[in-house]
Amino acid sequence: MNAAKKMKRTQVQRKWLHGSVFMVLVIVLIYLIIWSTLDAPFKSSSYLLSKDNVVTHHQYCSSKSPAWEYIACSWITFLLLCTTVLAFQIHILHKSFSGLKDVDESVPLAVMTYSHFIFIILYLVTLTQYENKQDELFSHLQSFICSADSIAVLCIYFMPKFF
């Protein structure tokens, strides 16, 4: 930050940049290993009797504690907070320097962050309902929300580059 105040160029070392990305990867891997060993997923079944006296059988993968998914959603929320700060800093940088008119990634980054935030809220709503009812509909909704989130991010980021 001091280099920015003095209007000096800062060199970011590749070793530090790759090391920080590697550390985040290690943290996520440790979390997944702990999740898999302490609360291994198992096959669950649910039976539903319809009005026509037809029994439907649904199988799904679950774990004993819902806390793991809430921790994962908290991690995503933390990353969204970091992305918001980054988009704000890029926007300030863009306004400060007139030579960076072609390099404005703050708007797509902010829109992607907003989109992710909306989808994570929808996912959390379906997660709480899924725990209460164990309904197949909420499992399908969660899958649709994750797919729509991925498609929205791809469209938000890449569509302006092509058109």
Side-chain angles (χ1 to χ4, degrees), residues 31-100:
Y31 170 74
L32 291 174
I33 289 169
I34 290 172
W35 183 359
S36 296
T37 55
L38 293 180
D39 193 9
F42 58 91
K43 184 169 82 171
S44 296
S45 299
S46 67
Y47 299 93
L48 185 67
L49 181 63
S50 68
K51 294 177 184 175
D52 303 332
N53 290 332
V54 176
V55 176
T56 55
H57 177 242
H58 301 287
Q59 293 182 341
Y60 53 91
C61 187
S62 66
S63 62
K64 296 173 190 160
S65 175
W68 300 105
E69 288 213 44
Y70 286 112
I71 293 170
C73 287
S74 299
W75 175 255
I76 293 171
T77 305
F78 170 73
L79 291 177
L80 287 176
L81 179 67
C82 293
T83 307
T84 303
V85 170
L86 181 64
F88 184 69
Q89 288 178 341
I90 291 173
H91 182 69
I92 290 173
L93 179 72
H94 180 263
K95 285 172 59 175
S96 298
F97 297 107
S98 61
L100 297 176

